[in-house]
Amino acid sequence: MLTRSLGLLLVAALALGSTGCVKRMILDSTIHSTRIGSGAADTIGDYEMASRAAAAGVLQFEGMHRLAPDNEDALMLLTRGWAGWGYAFAQDDYEVATLANDEATAEYHKKRAKAAFDRSVGYGLELLAKEDGGFQAAKKNADTIKAWLKTHFDDKEDAEVLFWLGSAWLARVNLLKDEPEYVAELFIGTAILERSRELDPAFMSYGAQSTLGAYHARSPMGELDEAKKLLEDAMAKTQRKSLGVLLNYAKYACMKSA
């Protein structure tokens, strides 16, 4: 009788353990499928719908991360989601308010954009740490960060997280260009984007090259010749069909050289 009872307890314990494993497998599968399908949002042309969908998406991804904190797909979705929402919507609202000389509203949206970029950078670094935890030591200077990136991130698939992390990093610096502590680490975001470009130049319609082109035209003292060269090359490679490349050219290289 005792043996039978112990056997039943063992079976019950195994069943509970299996249930937990099955639930985690289902959760991981759901998150992975969400990552694959999330690109459909890029086809939405309605600005208001896209804005609301992007905001709802990052909140959904936050929930997924809460349920599966070690899931790399969830971290990737958050890195990409916060970077994209911050740049396309919060920063856009900030720029509109700035052009309207509405300082209070501009400051409000500036804080929203910074918070988005902060979260993107945080999740991106968390994802990189799963490959190697040496970022803090590597960011000492441009040479050390480049060497670290080249040593530990050498797969084409790494281009995705590096692109979104680097984009968020540079966007945050541009947003906070009057704050020396952020400007002083501009080289980090540049190195990350350059590594993404090396691994997969065509990713996001030559997005890293386009973003680096915008970076080189960031101010009247920027490298406008280099900016135009990068952006014109990106336009040629995308057959002038990439809105992001065309926007960066019009916003940075073309206008600044006029």
Side-chain angles (χ1 to χ4, degrees):
M1 184 69 179
L2 178 60
T3 302
R4 182 181 179 186
S5 297
L6 290 174
L8 290 173
L9 287 173
L10 178 60
V11 170
L14 289 172
L16 289 173
S18 298
T19 300
C21 290
V22 170
K23 287 183 178 179
R24 180 55 191 262
M25 289 174 62
I26 293 173
L27 177 60
D28 287 343
S29 177
T30 299
I31 296 173
H32 183 67
S33 298
T34 301
R35 178 178 175 180
I36 294 173
S38 62
D42 297 337
T43 65
I44 298 175
D46 186 305
Y47 179 86
E48 293 296 331
M49 180 178 290
S51 175
R52 293 171 185 172
V58 291
L59 291 178
Q60 178 188 14
F61 305 154
E62 288 285 358
M64 291 177 171
H65 179 59
R66 176 71 64 86
L67 293 172
D70 295 325
N71 186 286
E72 295 185 15
D73 285 322
L75 287 170
M76 184 65 254
L77 286 166
L78 286 166
T79 304
R80 183 177 70 188
W82 280 115
W85 180 84
Y87 181 81
F89 303 108
Q91 181 170 294
D92 187 64
D93 290 339
Y94 162 70
E95 292 176 351
V96 169
T98 299
L99 289 172
N101 295 316
D102 187 343
E103 294 183 4
T105 302
E107 184 62 25
Y108 167 71
H109 290 304
K110 182 178 182 179
K111 290 179 179 178
R112 295 171 67 227
K114 179 183 181 299
F117 297 141
D118 283 345
R119 294 187 81 88
S120 178
V121 168
Y123 287 125
L125 291 178
E126 187 176 343
L127 190 50
L128 294 193
K130 290 187 174 297
E131 181 66 29
D132 183 80
F135 172 76
Q136 289 301 321
K139 70 174 189 173
K140 179 180 178 181
N141 57 52
D143 290 335
T144 55
I145 189 67
K146 288 179 180 179
W148 180 73
L149 289 166
K150 187 173 183 178
T151 299
H152 298 287
F153 302 94
D154 55 6
D155 291 334
K156 187 176 181 178
E157 292 182 355
D158 293 329
E160 182 177 8
V161 62
L162 294 175
F163 170 77
W164 291 110
L165 173 58
S167 296
W169 197 292
L170 290 188
R172 185 174 63 177
V173 172
N174 183 58
L175 184 73
L176 305 174
K177 51 183 172 289
D178 296 326
E179 300 187 27
E181 61 270 32
Y182 287 96
V183 177
E185 293 189 331
L186 177 62
F187 70 92
I188 298 174
T190 304
I192 293 172
L193 264 182
E194 287 176 342
R195 186 56 180 158
S196 174
R197 181 188 175 194
E198 290 170 357
L199 293 171
D200 187 0
F203 180 73
M204 287 295 292
S205 300
Y206 294 86
Q209 180 171 327
S210 175
T211 304
L212 287 168
Y215 153 72
H216 284 294
R218 65 196 180 282
S219 71
M221 298 300 292
E223 304 87 354
L224 292 180
D225 289 341
E226 180 66 15
K228 291 189 70 175
K229 178 181 177 181
L230 287 169
L231 289 168
E232 287 175 355
D233 183 59
M235 284 194 295
K237 288 175 176 175
T238 57
Q239 300 179 331
R240 294 180 175 267
K241 295 180 180 180
S242 171
L243 180 60
V245 176
L246 294 173
L247 178 62
N248 276 339
Y249 185 82
K251 188 176 181 180
Y252 295 104
C254 183
M255 290 179 65
K256 288 181 180 293
S257 62

